[in-house]
Amino acid sequence: MNQLQLLGSIEIGLIFALVATGVYITFKVIDFPDLTVDGSFTLGAAVSASMISSGFGPVISTLAAMCAGSVAGSITGYLNVKWDIMGLLAGILTMTALYSINLRIMGVPNIAIVDAETIFGDYSVITIMGIIVVVVIAIINRFFASNYGLAIRAIGINPRVSKAYGINVERMKIIALALSNGVVALSGSLFAQSQGFADISMGTGTIIVGLAAVIIGEAAIHPKNVLTGLITCAIGSIVYRIVIAFALNANDIGLQASDLNLITAAIVALTMIVSKLKRF
Amino acid sequence: MIELKDINVIFNKGTKLENHVLKNINLKVLDGQFVTIIGGNGAGKSTLMNVLAGDIAPTSGKIFIDNVEVTNTQAHARAALVARVFQDPMIGTFADLTLEENMSVAGMRGASRGLTPALSKDLKIKFQTHLSELEIDLETRLKDKASSLSGGQRQALSLVMATLQESKILLLDEHTSALDPKIGQIIMDLTDKIIKKQRLTALMITHSMTQALDYGDRTIMMYHGEIVRDMIGTERKSLTPSDLIKYFDL
């Protein structure tokens, strides 16, 4: 693996660090296995690529992508809390619907924005992404340290007692899902802008990549609070990318790019098995 | 004052599994009254508490707290008025939050939660003071997770959490039954102390006839969804635990 590939891995790792923080909020903080992510990642890319290619500024396009992601997350939450649809299924329903919606937004399956001005301007993607990841983690951490954020953490741990202490469990669930998918859509938007295109199928497997980052980070660091949990996600995401790059570059093993999903699934499974083994 | 008027709770109404859990319950609890509730399994004691807390909506009837009807108010919206300690010490607190975070969540009961930090120096001092009153050395463990506490310690924390904020009524659902007798006694004495100090209105379910008579100033007995005895004043004073046990032979 050469330096270029390493930098490329860090770049993508930082972008997907945002997916990992989103996944952390749903899977870890409120204990909700949210699969909306595959759809909301593409949604973020679709919204910002469409807007940028029709002349909108990159900042407003990125913010619009985040809002769209939040709406998608709220819909999953709404289906779950108001109509008692199982969390997994609610996420799958939204994700499935988003495929059509994303196609509607883009009009075509692929939009190129190579020549357009993006949020990265003339700076390197790694620099800007580093700043964005730090800022997003700082904001989310501050949010979960507030009375409102603490209440969201409480519903993930003990919904019944949360109610007894006056927390509207249903509303908090929807807010957390909106926050999570907003961050995931931000990631999708930044991915499209850094790569110069949005594609209808780019979100496939996003959830497992996010989970991989969360799980790898957790196995390595054992986070004790929200801040270390979030930092762990970012580190896990970068480590995951580097491991993948190594695996694909080791010529002797004979793996190719199309084996990515198999490697990812194997990494997630192995990390979980190893962390289980440690307990004995 | 807490008032229940003609409360009926029927589970699975209209099916073969229909279960009439509470039957025409009428109950008035005056301010400052500490009522102990006894009765066999399935008598409807816990359901009565769930109805008061808003976890279960009555099939018919009305609930008033200080003359304001709360029958259709959801549990989280009623929390400003109702404080609660659960039976199982493992479910009464937030296991994965630290003691100070637990108390912060509890301290906001009935208040609207905003984006101000959930913890501050002043709050920590306040939490420490409350915990030190328990005299079980919890005040040094603010940063520890609730999951690291023993059952008794968690129930003590639960009790402090429930009484951090004012409430119109405190519900205690067999809150010492899962503890060993010694710790159970300590928690019971703490409960009594807090209730007297804060002049709380309280309802306590218990399976201990001694507890039912030793604490509080009124005892009601439930049987098959009805209140069958209501003991207060000199009548109650003359009773012994064995008298109460005889009442179970209906």
Side-chain angles (χ1 to χ4, degrees), chain A residues 173-192:
Chain A
K173 229 186 213 181
I174 295 177
I175 298 281
L177 282 161
L179 177 66
S180 162
N181 283 284
V183 177
V184 171
L186 169 66
S187 177
S189 161
L190 295 170
F191 185 77

Side-chain angles (χ1 to χ4, degrees), chain A residues 142-143 145-151 153-155 157-158 160-170 172 223-224, chain B residues 50 55 76 79 84 86 91-97 101 104-106 108-109 113-118 145 161-162:
Chain A
R142 173 61 182 74
F143 176 68
S146 72
N147 283 311
Y148 204 91
L150 185 59
R153 292 172 60 201
I155 67 149
I157 297 166
N158 197 332
R160 178 148 186 236
V161 174
S162 297
K163 269 188 221 162
Y165 285 109
I167 300 170
N168 186 336
V169 175
E170 304 186 340
M172 292 300 175
K224 290 210 164 48
Chain B
N50 286 328
D55 276 351
H76 67 81
R84 206 167 180 195
F86 292 88
I91 68 154
T93 51
F94 302 97
D96 216 24
L97 294 183
E101 286 169 338
S104 174
V105 171
M108 292 300 286
R109 181 168 56 80
R113 293 163 211 265
L115 292 175
T116 45
K145 289 199 169 160
M161 283 165 65

Side-chain angles (χ1 to χ4, degrees), chain A residues 181-227:
Chain A
N181 283 284
V183 177
V184 171
L186 169 66
S187 177
S189 161
L190 295 170
F191 185 77
Q193 294 181 58
S194 70
Q195 307 300 306
F197 72 93
D199 188 274
I200 188 64
S201 61
M202 68 196 289
T204 313
T206 307
I207 180 65
I208 199 74
V209 173
L211 258 185
V214 173
I215 288 165
I216 292 172
E218 208 163 53
I221 300 177
H222 300 297
K224 290 210 164 48
N225 55 39
V226 175
L227 181 61

Side-chain angles (χ1 to χ4, degrees), chain A residues 10-68:
Chain A
I10 295 175
E11 189 179 305
I12 303 293
L14 283 167
I15 293 174
F16 276 85
L18 297 176
V19 173
T21 55
V23 170
Y24 179 83
I25 293 170
T26 49
F27 275 69
K28 291 288 164 185
V29 177
I30 62 163
D31 196 20
F32 187 105
D34 178 33
L35 299 189
T36 317
V37 175
D38 278 21
S40 50
F41 183 81
T42 317
L43 177 66
V47 168
S48 49
S50 305
M51 284 180 71
I52 288 173
S53 68
S54 42
F56 285 93
V59 175
I60 185 81
S61 306
T62 309
L63 291 176
M66 279 179 76
C67 293

Side-chain angles (χ1 to χ4, degrees), chain B residues 95-165:
Chain B
D96 216 24
L97 294 183
T98 61
L99 265 61
E100 54 185 16
E101 286 169 338
N102 266 283
M103 293 182 80
S104 174
V105 171
M108 292 300 286
R109 181 168 56 80
S112 85
R113 293 163 211 265
L115 292 175
T116 45
L119 294 168
S120 67
K121 254 188 196 149
D122 289 351
L123 273 179
K124 286 180 195 180
I125 293 169
K126 181 185 161 194
F127 296 160
Q128 251 160 358
T129 320
H130 279 279
L131 289 176
S132 62
E133 281 169 13
L134 297 175
E135 294 170 4
I136 50 173
D137 294 330
L138 281 184
E139 63 273 16
T140 55
R141 300 184 60 184
L142 280 185
K143 299 262 177 228
D144 290 353
K145 289 199 169 160
S147 55
S148 71
L149 302 183
S150 69
Q153 287 171 327
R154 279 179 81 162
Q155 207 62 333
L157 175 64
S158 235
L159 188 63
V160 172
M161 283 165 65
T163 50
L164 266 180
Q165 276 288 340

